[in-house]
Amino acid sequence: MSTVQNETDTGPDESDTDTEGARFLQLDTDKSIGGSRDTEPPPSIVEILKDVRKEEQGEEDKTLSGKFSDAYGNILEQEEEESSKVINGDVLASPGKERPSSADGSLSNPDDTPSIQNSLLSSSGKYPPISGRGHSPSPSLRPFDRRFQARVSQSPLPSPRPSSPAFLTSHSRHPSALSQLVHDSGDVDTPDAPWEVVRWTKLRKMSGQAFSEIGKRKFGRPTCIAVSASIALGTSKGMILIFDYHQTLQTIIGPGTQAVESGSVTSITFSADHSAVAGGHANGTIFTWDTTRPAKPLLQISPTDPSRLLASDHDGHVSGAAVLHIGFLGTRHTAFVSADDKGMAFSHFASRGMGAFARSIRTTRILGRYPEPSLAVSRSKKPSSVLAFAPLPLGNAILTTDDMGLVAMLTPYLLVIVSTIPVAQTQHKASRPKELAAHGTMSAALAWFPAMKTNAEDTAIHAPSSLAKLAYCWSNILTVLDVHEADVPEGSVKDKSPELRFIPRKRWKADEAIVAIQWLSRSVLSVITVSQQLIILEDSVLQVTDSSDMIRKHIYHVDLFSQQLSQLVEKLDEDDTSMHGVVADAFYMSFKAYKGRLFLLGFGDVSMGTMSNWADRLLALMEEGNFIGAIELATSYYNGGGDKATVGLPEDDASRHSVVQEKLTEMMSASLKYAFGRNQKAGTPKLGDRQLQELATACFNACLSIEDMDFLFDDVYTWYSDDQVEGLFLHILEGYITNGSIKILPPSVLKDLVGHFVEGGRDSELENTLCLLNPETMDIDQITSLCKKHRLYDALLYVWNQALGDYTTILKDLLYLKEDNSHDSGSDKDLLRIVSANPTSKVFPYLSYILTGRIYPTGESMEDAKATMAKAEIYDFFFSSGRRDTAANEIPSDKMTLSLPHLRHILKQDASSFLSMLNEAFEDSFLNGSNEGLHGQQRIAELSEEQRFGLSVNRQFIISILLEVIVPPDFDEEDVIYLDMFVARNIAKFSQFVLLPGSTLQRVMVELCTYSSEDTAEDCQLSVEYLLSVFQPPDLPSMIPILSDAHFYRIITLIYSSEKKYALLLKTCFDDRENPQAIFECIADCLKPTSELSPKQIDDIHQVIIEHASDLVEAGLTHAASTIDAFAPELHTFLLETLSDDDHAQFQYLREVLEPDESKKPADTTPRASLNQSFIEQYVRLLCDYDPHHVSDYIGNLQIGDLRLESVLPALESSGIIDAAVVIMAREGKIREAIDRLTQYLRTLRAALIGLLDGAHETPDAANAQETSDDLLKSLQKYIRIGVWLCQGQTKSVANSKGKAMAISRRALVTNTLSMDEELWLDLVDSVVQVTRDVGDTLESRPNTQMATISHPINTSKVLSSLRTMVQETFTALLTTTTVPPSNDVRQKDLSFLRIFRAFLDRVSLSSPSISNLRAVLSAIFSAYSYEESLLDLANRLVDKDLFVHVAEVSSMRRRGWRPLGQLCEGCGKRVWGSGVGGGIWDAWVEASQDGSAAGSKIKATHPSTGPNENGKGKAAASMEDDMAEPEKTAEPELEERKAGNLGPLIVFACRHVFHRRCLESMKPRGDEHEVDGRETLEFSCPLCI
């Protein structure tokens, strides 16, 4: 056994974690952790990067401060030096001694770098398109309804940032969530990242000693690992091996002690000061050791014999229960906690003493129950185990939780957090998440992160220290729990335990079960899944940042829980979804984290891993040759993209920028050298155009991010220019200028950019680009000559405005510039150049922008002072009468003698556009005269004369000048009209600023009414409306003819409406042909009931309507009808007379009046008077012509007297609408005439059908013949049914008269004379039968040879079947109508039907001597009669049978009676039956029986039986039975009268309440009184139930 001096170092300062990472561990490999690579980097790009660094260091010694100073700045030197560094034993000691940190391998003490939330990689982008060409607006006929727009506008597109490298996720068998969310690109395969997520290094020397055959025989196989200042391995032979960071075996603990007899080491941990180690063994024994004196244990806690559990009050692990978890509490070596595989956990506290035997140990059970003795009978309980277990380690921040001894435990059912100091107390419980998948894998893991101090860089944490937090998981659900300390109120007891609050902050769901968790830093979690996937999470958002496949690491794992929890798996309850189907192996003893490093215990080795930081990833890309991806990734890091906490970048922008910026510049320089082949040593050729474009884009984004445009144009552009590929650079530059990212260019670059556009013939795009740059750095002479040469007027105006503040020089040049028409007009491109070069198209948008305070042509707002001076200069240029131009030779000689030459010149060019521009400028507050833009900037006295004059210009002055200038004959009439419109509109809008004499306004109004072009008529009318809103002409009536001649009807209607001249108002509406809708609105407004017009005014309006009746119906026929009907129905006659020559128009008019759509009718209308009968008759006649199918429906809705038969009958008959005529006749009582007219029409249809059948075989159109036949049959059926309706109505009306039935019977015995209704039936039946007979005769008379040789085009069988069906329906209706219902139980005979049928046979015999001709018809008649009778007989038998069954059942129930609910009367309370009731009841019953028998004999004598079939049936018998069986009837009223003093008979209700009849009558709950067979009966209701 070998030992070394104990390390006395304390916990390291967390801020030095990454600084010392390069010298963390001396390996026996050839390369250090930071420099280990599977392949050597390509020499070219790496050497170029070295050269660049050396050049920069030679120019200036740049150093970086902070813990990241060596992260990338000396990356190449570190890669070479780390392989030769030797670390001393005190390498982990921090300069200042603080509280010792826990070194338990179950947790980590990472750096204190916070993370940022919602960190994402830079998004993909494309080059923005160049903005398209636009055109300034051309003059319009409506100049005051538009706003001028410039052709150039700012592009809203983002900068063309390319996508970040596609390999920001590591390779794994199952892609991480981040790779699916951020880099989801459809079916495109994402390339693997060139870096390792975790750089793993095999600790070969340590593994050789522990896993060699000699080591296994000597020490046993490693079973668990713990990491602190040393690395400890527990073995299967009960020993503990402690290695230093030279991988030297320093201490062997256990040989020669009882530890080797206690089974394998199942758990191991270090104390907070790294000087003590504790181990749990398979048999339940726990040993603690001083690493400097390992010969004897400091403490030994033996397990308890299960047989002595009941007799002993000592707590402890049961013998045979493996101690799976162990951990020290706080800084003490004598306080620790442990848990076993039986689900029990204990806290152990040892007292101070001399040696191990002088100490007393107090063990307290904090979780679980002891196993029950085998003989004890107890209820079954679920098996349990401690799946995960850890005490809260110490952080470098002092909190009250440090003295509470918090322990977190996970069982299959609960998370339990217990405080062990001073006494065990449960602080928090949480059950399994409900969203766990049913019957999945059972696993659990947890890890604490202690409270740590914060520093200035922790911008995400606004507190002196961070909170302690616990990450725990069941299966695939991981939760982060924050530990909050409640505020202690003042005056509280000091010794009271603090109150803690455990708040779940985040939850994350993995794709599979999690088996181990470790904190890499305060913001980074590492997770191992059941399929051995390593997943890296950021705590702030719980998002996957990286993942790696660990299957090849062969992590050591053991099945520790399946035997104990077998009942949860083998006895699985499918209904219990809270349990799992399989128990995962344990991984927690093999996966540890310490100081940001991961340690893995495998089946054959021990490995250490370090997360690849940002510098490693950039270097990996450079080594692979992907320098463009490296630049893009570094830019993303600089801008805060990616997972800063995972890659080791600070959250603070300033710190991160200082770290990344220098390295980003180095990579760009090296990449440019490599790309253009300038590195002679490497000898690489330059890249292709596509890669050079990507490199340029990456450099643009990087330089814009670091705000180093000098490097972009001095270095990057120089490389491209020297290699003669500057066009690629300039093409990329164009996009960044368009989206506004770059506004300043060096003169040399600007010159090359202009040449680049000119060579490509892209003058318009060049103009757009120049207008988006800042002109202050431009060479004015150069850019002016270029713009004039290429006619780039927008750019020229922009440069002179912004660079020189000159707003009139270029304007003057444009005004007097002659258009170049030398181009071939046949070329579209040249035509476009001519249009874009037209100076007029530039001037008006330019003036509009400047006079409204906008920069031309970008449209951005100008500064107030600049905008004010620019407007003043423009107004002085046009409206100063004393202005003298130095370049007078540019003004034509004929204009130099005139005042205001520039104003006159531009008005001559396009007066309408200039006035439209001024109309827009008038809305600017500059013309108010306040000069707000100069307040606090300049004093008026310091301005020039021209500037002062421009500032004094206002709206009044401008209008006055324009009225003086634009006068005939200098300007034509159209220009004067435009000025009048301008004046009229603006004097209305700015009446407080403009004042003109009435004569001027009168002249303006008159001129507007005398316009010369119809195109400006609407504008002129609108302008007059504006003017009349502020000006009242002195003689307005005299203006009416002028307005009328101008067709300004809208204005005239306003005048008449205000003067309440409604008749003239309506006449004006008739005159306005352009707005016919106004006529109806005017009529509705004037004639509505609420208008309050006088009768004379109403008469005047009616007269106007009569005079313009034709105009009214022309404006809208149906609308006119509805309007007149609603507001003036007495005028219908006049409008119909107007339409006398147009029958169809009359029809439409009357339809709208007589059958209106009520939903469209105005709400406020005049009540309708009764309609003229002539209107209805005329409408019916028109319906016969234009809608004959609707005639019957319409007539059916009319009332009696609405229509005269003689007036409409000719039209109905001529149109063949017989049904309507018949209905009218029937309504007027002319039933006989109606039937005659109907039978006559039936004969007509018969003749038509016979004719069709006779000539059907000669027609070539068989389908048409069949269709005609079907139509005739439908008509026959329709009119036969109408006849049936008439006969039925007449029969019912006659039958209702008194004595009808008796009269019929008497006449039937004496004579055979038919009544009127019977004659109607006879005529109808005779007509129907005659049609059927004649058609049948026609079909039978055809020769058989003809029938055989010629196929009949009409379905004759269908015809005959339809006709016979009509006969059956007619006789059925006759039977139904003429059948007399039975009366007084005596069946009546159908005498009426028999007489009608006899008369029918007599009539038929006269016309058809042979009865054989009627055989088929009579067969149909008798079939109908027999069918109806059989149906009625069957229905009667079914009803009688069903009724008998129900009556018998009810009678039986009534005879059975009801048993009273009690023996007392509910009314008086006296006993009514049973014992004690007395003998009077028997006497009364006997007497009642005798009286009942006598009454029965009397009934039988009064109603003798007529026969055996009638005995017991009929209403008489039923009445007798009802009287005897009804329980609510009294027995005999005479009995009560004879019994003086007796309360009378009893009444029992169905509710079983019983009463004396007299008591019931006194309570007066009497029901209905009615007679049955002449006897009065009473019905009572139970007073207790109603």
Side-chain angles (χ1 to χ4, degrees), residues 178-240:
L178 184 66
S179 66
Q180 298 174 8
L181 292 175
V182 180
H183 301 290
D184 185 7
S185 58
D187 298 332
V188 180
D189 294 334
T190 301
D192 296 338
W195 61 80
E196 301 176 14
V197 177
V198 177
R199 296 175 298 165
W200 292 101
T201 301
K202 183 178 180 180
L203 305 181
R204 300 180 183 277
K205 186 176 179 181
M206 183 187 304
S207 301
Q209 297 181 66
F211 290 93
S212 64
E213 292 299 327
I214 297 176
K216 290 180 181 179
R217 287 196 298 269
K218 185 176 181 180
F219 309 121
R221 176 178 50 80
T223 57
C224 53
I225 186 173
V227 183
S228 181
S230 303
I231 301 175
L233 297 177
T235 67
S236 59
K237 292 188 176 182
M239 301 181 189
I240 299 176

Side-chain angles (χ1 to χ4, degrees), residues 387-644:
L387 302 178
F389 178 95
L392 174 63
L394 296 177
N396 58 14
I398 301 176
L399 296 176
T400 56
T401 54
D402 296 341
D403 300 327
M404 297 179 64
L406 291 180
V407 182
M409 296 167 283
L410 274 176
T411 71
Y413 319 103
L414 288 175
L415 164 70
V416 182
I417 300 178
V418 177
S419 60
T420 59
I421 301 174
V423 294
Q425 182 179 358
T426 300
Q427 298 290 339
H428 179 71
K429 282 186 179 182
S431 58
R432 293 156 41 91
K434 295 182 180 180
E435 56 266 32
L436 281 176
H439 314 304
T441 303
M442 177 185 291
S443 66
L446 59 82
W448 286 98
F449 191 90
M452 305 295 292
K453 293 181 179 179
T454 58
N455 50 41
E457 296 180 356
D458 293 333
T459 57
I461 302 177
H462 306 285
S465 63
S466 62
L467 298 174
K469 52 189 175 183
L470 173 68
Y472 68 93
C473 69
W474 271 294
S475 188
N476 64 330
I477 305 295
L478 184 144
T479 307
V480 177
L481 197 70
D482 287 340
V483 183
H484 294 261
E485 295 185 16
D487 297 334
V488 179
E490 297 182 0
S492 60
V493 180
K494 294 183 178 181
D495 297 336
K496 184 180 179 181
S497 300
E499 182 180 351
L500 303 180
R501 292 183 294 113
F502 298 85
I503 302 177
R505 175 167 47 86
K506 292 286 184 181
R507 178 165 287 182
W508 173 70
K509 186 175 183 179
D511 295 334
E512 54 189 359
I514 299 171
V515 293
I517 302 174
Q518 290 292 297
W519 288 93
L520 279 172
S521 68
R522 176 168 41 213
S523 304
V524 181
L525 264 172
S526 58
V527 171
I528 295 289
T529 66
V530 71
S531 64
Q532 300 187 32
Q533 295 292 307
L534 174 63
I535 297 176
I536 306 301
L537 300 171
E538 275 204 11
D539 166 52
S540 59
V541 292
L542 279 188
Q543 292 182 353
V544 177
T545 61
D546 273 311
S547 63
S548 177
D549 189 3
M550 304 290 293
I551 194 67
R552 296 185 180 181
K553 293 300 178 183
H554 304 291
I555 305 174
Y556 177 75
H557 53 90
V558 185
D559 181 8
L560 298 178
F561 307 109
S562 62
Q563 183 177 2
Q564 173 68 14
L565 303 177
S566 60
Q567 295 183 8
L568 298 180
V569 179
E570 296 175 0
K571 298 180 180 180
L572 178 63
D573 185 2
E574 294 293 342
D575 297 331
D576 185 5
T577 59
S578 63
M579 287 294 98
H580 295 270
V582 65
V583 180
D585 287 356
F587 285 77
Y588 68 90
M589 77 292 291
S590 307
F591 179 63
K592 304 295 179 182
Y594 183 68
K595 290 187 176 296
R597 271 70 179 175
L598 295 174
F599 293 84
L600 280 182
L601 173 63
F603 282 97
D605 57 20
V606 179
S607 302
M608 187 191 74
T610 305
M611 286 289 298
S612 297
N613 60 17
W614 67 277
D616 298 329
R617 302 183 181 204
L618 295 178
L619 182 60
L621 290 173
M622 297 293 288
E623 289 177 347
E624 193 184 52
N626 189 358
F627 49 89
I628 298 176
I631 295 173
E632 292 172 345
L633 183 58
T635 304
S636 174
Y637 287 154
Y638 184 90
N639 293 325
D643 308 299
K644 296 183 288 296

